[in-house]
Amino acid sequence: MFHPFRPRSLAHLGCIVRWPVALALSGMLTVVEAGAEVASAASTPGGRNASLDLARSVAVTGREAFHAGDYETALALFRRAYTLFPAPTVVLYEARSLEKMGLWLEALEAYVRTTQMPVDARAPAQFAEAVAAAREEARDLRSRIPTLTLKVDGVSGHDPSLELSINGRAIGAAQLGQAQRLNPGVYQVSGSVSPDRRDQSEVKLEKGQNLTVVLALAAPSLTPPPPGGNAVVPVVDDADGSGPRTPWLAYVAGGVGVAGVGTGLITGLMASSKHSEAEQACENHTCVAGTSGPAAVNAFRTLRMVSTVSYGIGAVGIGAGVVLWLTASEDTESTRVGAIEIWGTGDTAGIRGTF
């Protein structure tokens, strides 16, 4: 961090900084010296001259640091020089230093501030030239600043539980769908509604990019129960009790199980295909609205859920078929009735019953 200092002489200043004061006759020196002629006559001549001498030295050193590529030091020196003598040329180099550091939003503000500085008719020509240069460079920089538009899927932007952030900085609902100017760089975009409804994405903004990030915050899909409650398969003994229970239900249950496994296999392959499509359409795991990416992601999630449920039903059906087959034996109870109940939730499935 730059700390204000007041050297006893120019020689002392040269000992403090690592750049020599060899450019004392550079363009910056000429501008600052010329600005002395525009100084208010009401100021104390001795104090005014001392301030101008120090501003001139600091500005020259800052310009040398700028050309040496040490933009942080240059920025601190230009800001110090500005407090001593607020010249447009000094603010212009402050803006240029910020731009070199990648702080484009801050640089744009400094450029605009330069264009708004009043220039007296008696001021040196370099002041007016600095204002004109700042106006042109601000126009060019504004066209290169990237933007990021944040959207959410599966939740209202006015949901009180919705929390959004970019690099840890909270984003309000009013900023949803609005292109936000940001400095170039890598950003972590995250959103959540509840512990099981959260999404995040990492994006890299480069010069002139306009990216849209869609966060998927829909509630987890649950398999709806069949009409009338859980499926129940009755197992009935022979009416007269003279023979074994008929095994045809075992064939039915087994057929349902095989069909479920087949459906799970097919939808699993389709989900894998959609997953590959989503990876190709969503670079860096970022799905841009208007492309096939969001649709591919939703299709993948749906097919994956169907595949999982189908495998569960298949396993239950095959298991029920095996149980029914093994229990289709001689029984002395002519009117005994058993039942197998298939149950399931969004995560698990199974069978239960009596024989």
Side-chain angles (χ1 to χ4, degrees), residues 253-264 313-315 317-318:
V256 172
V258 172
V261 171
T263 302
I313 293 175
I318 293 174

Side-chain angles (χ1 to χ4, degrees), residues 329-352:
S329 59
E330 292 285 348
D331 200 309
T332 57
E333 299 179 12
S334 60
T335 59
R336 187 169 62 88
V337 177
I340 292 178
E341 182 179 1
I342 302 174
W343 60 273
T345 67
D347 299 320
T348 59
I351 59 172
R352 58 174 173 253

Side-chain angles (χ1 to χ4, degrees), residues 216 274 277-279 282 287 292-302:
K274 287 297 181 181
E277 181 181 339
E279 285 188 332
C282 303
C287 295
S292 61
V297 171
N298 291 334
F300 162 70
R301 291 172 176 170
T302 300

Side-chain angles (χ1 to χ4, degrees), residues 148-220:
L148 177 64
T149 303
L150 180 59
K151 297 182 179 181
V152 293
D153 181 31
V155 65
S156 169
H158 301 289
D159 191 317
S161 301
L162 178 62
E163 295 182 356
L164 302 168
S165 66
I166 298 179
N167 276 5
R169 177 174 59 89
I171 300 299
Q175 295 174 281
L176 278 175
Q178 302 295 323
Q180 302 179 61
R181 286 178 176 172
L182 295 173
N183 291 323
V186 177
Y187 291 88
Q188 295 288 341
V189 184
S190 62
S192 67
V193 179
S194 61
D196 61 337
R197 296 173 63 185
R198 58 177 62 248
D199 193 13
Q200 64 179 8
S201 180
E202 180 179 283
V203 297
K204 182 178 181 181
L205 289 179
E206 298 180 351
K207 177 181 68 175
Q209 280 189 320
N210 299 300
L211 293 182
T212 298
V213 174
V214 181
L215 297 177
L217 301 176

